[in-house]
Amino acid sequence: MLTEHVRRLSFRGLEYGCRIIENPVPSTEPIIMVGGAFQDMYAFRRLERPWTEVATVVTVDLPGSGSADHLPGHYGFDFLTGALDDLLGQLDLGPVNLFGASYGVPVVYPLAQQRPELVRRLLLVGASMRYPAEGLGRVQEMADHLAAGQDMSTYGRACVDAMMAHPDRPVRNRTVAARMVSCAMSSISGPEIPRHLASTQRLLSWEGLPGGGIKDVPALCFTGEYDEFALPELGREVAATIEDGTFTLMRETDHLPNLERGKEFARLVTDYFTDRPLERLDFLTPLECPSRDLSPVP
């Protein structure tokens, strides 16, 4: 029987937390989930059943997200990487399966680079070495709408425009996903507003992933086929920096594959972290190994 509890921790004077769903007979290492800029530790709850069947699952509210203390925008992603390192040290779980989506990628990538002994497998969703100017322009528009105190529905629509592909793209369940994003973002209020502004400031000032790549950690990078924020070629570039990195696209999705193809998203996470073959998954494009493909021929 699975048990669930929330644990509160502190890093450099800021409180943060995690939600732990314990599996007493796991078949793979614990799965640590670090989500996007506006997600909390319950964001993947509707998808996590397959993960909890094979592993202990830990979802996090790092500083600046969910129920954790506010993190001003001038704090960079290096602070969040330090908090994640602190979390793994306090939980003492041994090597883990580490997941990072979008805003979570600049948090987990440096940890895998600096502390490979802590990471058994790495999974990156919507990764970029740096964000393109056009995408950042849409993020700035989001922040401008929110800071101006306009009608919150305007902010919700700006978030949809920033994170989702153009409506003419054949994205699965786009209408439903867009409605969910718009409603969620339009309903924020009170202390959530400075959190959103701080997170967007962190994104806008981010200078990109550190050089040097990752060794000794196998990784899967996948991107939505029609992602217009973390463009597919940028995800492929990230995979090329990882010695044992694999890259693929999830068909008929954009930057929000967990909303658009939730069942397939959940299965991919489960299959990757349990070493099941991914080639059989028909919702993925053929697997690529960019670092090996770019290696000079002897």
Side-chain angles (χ1 to χ4, degrees):
M1 181 177 178
L2 303 180
T3 60
E4 175 180 330
H5 65 277
V6 172
R7 182 168 171 181
R8 307 299 301 178
L9 307 104
S10 178
F11 178 69
R12 298 185 185 175
L14 294 179
E15 280 199 4
Y16 69 100
C18 66
R19 172 173 158 262
I20 305 170
I21 307 96
E22 295 186 16
N23 183 324
V25 286
S27 56
T28 188
E29 290 83 359
I31 297 173
I32 312 297
M33 306 290 295
V34 183
F38 312 115
Q39 293 179 314
D40 63 15
M41 61 183 172
Y42 296 98
F44 296 107
R45 193 169 198 170
R46 70 184 183 88
L47 304 179
E48 68 191 18
R49 182 174 178 180
W51 312 335
T52 61
E53 290 175 349
V54 299
T56 290
V57 175
V58 180
T59 62
V60 303
D61 275 349
L62 295 178
S65 65
S67 60
D69 282 350
H70 175 60
L71 185 68
H74 63 267
Y75 282 84
F77 284 103
D78 56 335
F79 185 92
L80 295 174
T81 298
L84 181 60
D85 191 358
D86 178 72
L87 170 75
L88 295 182
Q90 293 201 51
L91 297 185
D92 192 23
L93 297 172
V96 300
N97 292 308
L98 186 56
F99 170 102
S102 188
Y103 178 94
V105 171
V107 180
V108 305
Y109 182 102
L111 183 66
Q113 182 184 62
Q114 299 161 15
R115 302 289 304 279
E117 72 280 4
L118 297 179
V119 184
R120 177 64 183 85
R121 300 172 192 83
L122 178 66
L123 202 165
L124 305 176
V125 186
S128 296
M129 292 299 295
R130 68 219 167 276
Y131 292 126
E134 184 176 352
L136 290 177
R138 293 194 293 268
V139 172
Q140 183 65 65
E141 289 178 8
M142 285 172 51
D144 291 344
H145 285 305
L146 187 58
Q150 298 178 356
D151 179 78
M152 290 304 296
S153 62
T154 303
Y155 178 59
R157 289 193 297 271
C159 293
V160 170
D161 292 341
M163 291 185 278
M164 300 193 69
H166 191 275
D168 66 0
R169 297 289 192 177
V171 169
R172 187 80 64 96
N173 298 315
R174 187 191 189 281
T175 300
V176 174
R179 187 182 304 122
M180 292 172 65
V181 171
S182 181
C183 289
M185 303 299 267
S186 297
S187 65
I188 70 164
S189 61
E192 293 176 288
I193 292 176
R195 287 174 181 267
H196 278 229
L197 289 172
S199 294
T200 53
Q201 181 182 341
R202 219 171 341 270
L203 285 170
L204 291 166
S205 60
W206 181 55
E207 296 181 352
L209 293 176
I214 294 175
K215 297 181 180 180
D216 302 320
V217 178
L220 173 67
C221 300
F222 80 89
T223 301
E225 183 178 18
Y226 300 110
D227 195 329
E228 295 178 0
F229 182 68
L231 302 171
E233 57 266 30
L234 299 180
R236 187 176 287 109
E237 184 181 357
V238 173
T241 69
I242 302 170
E243 188 175 65
D244 189 9
T246 301
F247 178 75
T248 187
L249 299 175
M250 181 173 283
R251 301 182 191 276
E252 299 180 86
T253 64
D254 54 28
H255 198 61
L256 303 173
N258 58 306
L259 297 182
E260 295 150 357
R261 302 195 70 170
K263 182 178 179 181
E264 293 87 347
F265 181 95
R267 180 175 178 184
L268 177 55
V269 173
T270 306
D271 284 6
Y272 178 67
F273 284 147
T274 54
D275 293 329
R276 297 171 187 168
L278 304 183
E279 291 83 358
R280 63 183 179 174
L281 302 180
D282 61 4
F283 53 85
L284 300 179
T285 59
L287 303 180
E288 307 172 34
C289 299
S291 63
R292 280 169 263 171
D293 295 342
L294 295 174
S295 298
V297 178

